[in-house]
Amino acid sequence: MEFSDLYKQENSPLVRFSPDGRYIAVVVKHRLILRDSENPKRIHRVYTCAYETAPYIQEVEWSPDSEYILTASYATNRVDVWSVDGDENWRCAITDEVARVEKALWARDSRHVLTFSELDLRLSVWSLLEADDRRYIQFPKTRPSGLSFHPDGTYMALAQRHDYHDYIGIYNTETWQLVREIAVDTLDLAGLRWSPDGLHIVAWDMAASYTVVVANAAGIVKRVFRPSDDNEDDDGLGVRSCAWSPGGQLLALGGFDRRVRVLNHLTWRPIATLAHRPTIGAAAADVFVEVEVGQTLAQASQAAMASTPRHHTRFDLDASTPATIRVVTPLHDAPRADQRAGISFAEFSADGALLATMCESMPHALWIWRVASMRLAAVIQTLRPVRACCWSPVESALAFATASPTLYVWKENNGCHLYDIPSPTVAATALVWNPNGGSLAILSKGVFSIAYMTE
């Protein structure tokens, strides 16, 4: 593992690799900087945005073809589109005169920009090819989780509500006309997602209602899933996270009840329920526990000279029976206490062989499951709560961070490895993989570094 130097950035959630993996975009005040992803010292372009109100740039998004990049300042009701490799002076400015823009994103053709108006009054479609070509779609809701594109970009699924009912609207992305409308049996539709094979759409209800609707592209509802219908215990809480397997044959639903239900694409019934319990039985899985280790004389000498000492750790296999997972119980009067429960993260590996999950009430643990057997493969316990976790887009390598100057990488055949970030002042709180899988950005407050996979 090799690390780049540290570079300045002022908004970690807005750091983005281009889809083709060539550039990385970062925000510094009112400037958007494009750096070469292989050599971050090389700056490709700098865009100066005319946003007068802090926090200046509030949105950054690459077009799917990497030819344009979008910036937005919702405080000033303005969206700008910039050319990446074309004319440096070319710019497209978008302003909604009727209602303030609260979210902007790209269509899959990279030539249309979608904006959500305040109070979800309408979804506007802006063309980069014709200045006067605008389309409007009424009654959108749950932005942006309520919008999903077909994998080939030909259709868009949009969550809508009118006449006191929830619907999924299917729109043709060439004409932006409604093709089909699907009524869904939800109280307050919270999100939807198209399957990777483009054959099905899943929609889920609000947190207080465990209702999942699966429909095909023809508008036929294949299944309305509720745990209570299958004689399962239902504590009245709904879906918090949702993930499709890469092939679209499996659907993982992470609930507020600390369970992941995996549905198959034939019957849309659970083939497994993965419970996250605070104890793990003998030989159920490898349990990796992070422990502090003593320093060598050279390390102690370096720590004495450093303003911020580095704590060295390693992973040991927990041989205790049963292994115990640390549980954190939130205070009921604490802010957002109701959200510190359930499965906050569920994601399949690139080949679909593994599923990684996190339970909010056990923030020090990562759970990794084998999909073929639906059994636990490993549990990783860290000293600090896990702040970021993501699979490599090309292999079964799971990277995670704990707000420390350490990058963690787990691989099934190699176990868990720790890599010291060169600067001990870095507290890695977010990770972003390059789409080519060769590197990932490590984000800390005010700075970022790029780690290059050399193994």
Side-chain angles (χ1 to χ4, degrees), residues 364-427:
H364 296 261
L366 271 171
W367 308 66
I368 302 171
W369 312 79
R370 290 191 182 92
V371 174
S373 61
M374 289 298 167
R375 293 184 179 276
L376 193 59
V379 177
I380 305 170
Q381 288 204 77
T382 56
L383 292 174
R384 299 184 182 188
V386 177
R387 297 289 299 274
C389 176
C390 50
W391 286 104
S392 165
V394 297
E395 62 175 330
S396 295
L398 184 67
F400 53 101
T402 62
S404 65
T406 303
L407 173 65
Y408 303 80
V409 178
W410 178 90
K411 293 183 180 181
E412 185 173 15
N413 298 324
N414 298 331
C416 199
H417 292 267
L418 301 85
Y419 301 93
D420 289 335
I421 301 171
S423 173
T425 61
V426 170

Side-chain angles (χ1 to χ4, degrees), residues 59 61 70 72 74 79 101-106 113-116:
E59 190 78 64
E61 187 171 345
L70 171 155
Y74 302 130
V79 177
V101 173
E102 290 195 345
K103 180 65 180 177
L105 66 159
W106 285 97
V113 175
L114 313 181
T115 61
F116 284 89

Side-chain angles (χ1 to χ4, degrees), residues 279-284 318-324:
T279 57
I280 299 174
D318 189 350
S320 60
T321 305
T324 303

